[in-house]
Amino acid sequence: MLGVGAPLPGAAGPTERADAARNRQLLLDAAQQLVREQGVDSLTMDALAKRAGVGKGTVFRRFGNRSGLLMALLDHSERKAQEAFMFGPPPLGPGAAPVDRLVAFGRARLLDIEVEGELYRAAEVGEAGERYSGAPYMLLKAHVSMLLRQAGMSGEIALTADSLLASLSAALIMHQLRAQGYTREQIGDNWEAIVRRVVTG
């Protein structure tokens, strides 16, 4: 996440050596694979050490504890998502029509939440009052606002961006997937319909 202040546990600091940063990246990639394959409950310090082929002490030295590991993994996932919509190929990245980019943005967030939803939900609850003023949310809001503006929407763009992002909250999406039985494709299609209605007015 693009935050301000001290780095998260396990996050790369400004003076981190290249080899240490590379090893951290390898550990977080392995952790992400574990979560996507087996769910967040499978992610333990032991399991990560085994998957990454390192000693358990290495994992503890890097992340401190499981909570530090989970926060570092969420930061890792968010950075990848941010890079995709800021610099990646269209339609998610630059080069596509604004409405198509908005649709792709929502569908990409849905995929992230489906595979790493517990991480996202924990972060949303943990941030509490800071959630809507923190750097990660503000970056998403700025991106959605920019696309709405480029699509020619008028009116309260910032308020509309908040409303659209509210429909992509991890807690709501996971409830729709698990309790209400909707598929990610159905939720994505609904997101697209809402975006197109909002833009066309």
Side-chain angles (χ1 to χ4, degrees):
M1 296 180 190
L2 305 178
V4 177
L8 292 170
T15 60
E16 187 173 42
R17 298 188 326 269
D19 60 336
R22 188 165 49 251
N23 291 338
R24 172 182 171 275
Q25 183 82 12
L26 292 173
L27 283 171
L28 289 172
D29 284 341
Q32 193 173 50
Q33 289 173 1
L34 264 176
V35 170
R36 291 190 170 193
E37 291 170 8
Q38 303 173 30
V40 72
D41 290 341
S42 72
L43 184 60
T44 65
M45 307 299 261
D46 284 336
L48 177 55
K50 184 175 180 181
R51 170 63 67 97
V54 301
K56 186 166 69 171
T58 299
V59 179
F60 275 98
R61 281 192 300 274
R62 169 55 69 180
F63 302 108
N65 52 35
R66 187 172 183 270
S67 177
L69 170 60
L70 290 173
M71 291 306 296
L73 179 56
L74 183 58
D75 178 80
H76 179 66
S77 298
E78 281 288 344
R79 285 179 186 271
K80 280 188 171 182
Q82 290 164 5
E83 287 173 7
F85 69 68
M86 291 172 71
F87 309 113
L92 181 57
V99 173
D100 294 334
R101 290 191 68 195
L102 268 172
V103 170
F105 170 81
R107 290 188 186 275
R109 296 294 291 178
L110 289 173
L111 177 59
D112 288 343
I113 290 169
E114 184 178 50
V115 297
E116 295 168 358
E118 292 295 344
L119 291 174
Y120 281 90
R121 184 163 65 176
E124 288 178 2
V125 172
E127 289 168 352
E130 297 178 2
R131 166 165 164 67
Y132 299 107
S133 58
Y137 180 83
M138 293 303 292
L139 178 62
L140 298 180
K141 181 176 177 178
H143 180 67
V144 171
S145 296
M146 176 194 73
L147 294 177
L148 289 171
R149 200 170 291 110
Q150 289 177 352
M153 184 189 158
S154 58
E156 294 291 341
I157 288 179
L159 189 59
T160 302
D162 279 330
S163 297
L164 287 173
L165 286 169
S167 71
L168 294 175
S169 78
L172 176 60
I173 297 303
M174 292 175 69
H175 176 73
Q176 290 170 335
L177 289 168
R178 296 178 180 180
Q180 295 182 316
Y182 290 106
T183 66
R184 177 168 50 86
E185 290 73 20
Q186 287 175 307
I187 300 171
D189 290 345
N190 189 60
W191 162 263
E192 178 170 357
I194 291 171
V195 164
R196 295 190 183 281
R197 281 199 298 269
V198 164
V199 170
T200 58

